[in-house]
Amino acid sequence: MFYLCLGLLGTCLASFMGCAAQRLPQGRSLLGRSSCDTCGQTLAWHDLLPILGFLKTGGKARCCQAPIDPGLPLAELLSGLVLCALVQAHLPLTWPNGFVLMTWFLVLLGLSLLDHCYQFIYPVLLLPLVATYWLRPGLSLTTFYQAVLLGLGLLVGLGAFAKVTQGLGQGDVYVLSVIGFQFGLAVVLWTLIFGCGLCLLVCLSHYLRGRFEPNAPLAFIPYLTIGLALTQIR
C-alpha cells in the first residue's frame, strides 16, 4: 500500500510539473481550469487524471480528437516507478537525505518536462540542486573545492564539446556539471552511458516504426534524469 501511494504521488507530481512546464514559459498562470491545447475547450476533471485520462480517450483529446503528446503520460508513469525505486533504495529516509532526494527528483522532473516541451531549460532552476551540496554529511572545505573544480571543469569541457560537435545542448551541459559537482565524475560517466543507451533504444524504436526524424530536436535531459536515477538505485 505504501508503494502504491508513493507511485500515485509520483504520477500526480509529474502531471502538475507537466502543466507548469507547458504554461509558465508562455506566461500563463497555474491557476484556473485546464483547456485543450488545440481547440481551447475546458477539460473535465476526469480528462486530467494521470495516465488514465490518456488511456480513456485513446491518446486523443475528447473534445476535438487532436492527438495528445504521449510523452506526458509516459513521464507520469516513469515518475511513479522511479520515485518508488529511489525511496526503496534509500530507506530509511532521514534528514537530510530524504529532503535531498526529493529536491533532486522534483527539480530534474520539472527540467525534463520543460526540455521535452520546448527543448530548453532555465539554468536558475538548477540552483536548489547546487544548494543541497551543503547538506552532505562530513562536508569539508577540501571536498568542496574539489567538487567546485570538477563542476567547473565539466562546464568548460562539455561546453567546448557541445559547441564543436553540437552533440549536447547547453542545458545538458549545465545538468551534467551540477551532477558532477554533487556526485562526482564516475556518476557523470554512468549517467551519460545510461542516458545515451536509453536514447539509442528510443531512436531505434522510432526507426523501426518508420517515425524516426534525423533532424528533429532531441530533448536529452529526460534521458540524463533516468540515467542518474539508475545510478542511485542500488
Side-chain angles (χ1 to χ4, degrees), residues 2-3 6 82-93 101 234:
F2 170 73
Y3 288 105
L6 195 62
V82 167
L83 183 58
C84 288
L86 286 173
V87 170
Q88 170 64 28
H90 290 81
L91 287 176
L93 289 180
L101 178 68
R234 56 185 185 275

Side-chain angles (χ1 to χ4, degrees), residues 11-29:
T11 61
C12 291
L13 288 172
S15 180
F16 173 77
M17 287 293 189
C19 174
Q22 288 181 313
R23 291 189 185 189
L24 293 181
Q26 300 176 5
R28 296 162 56 193
S29 172

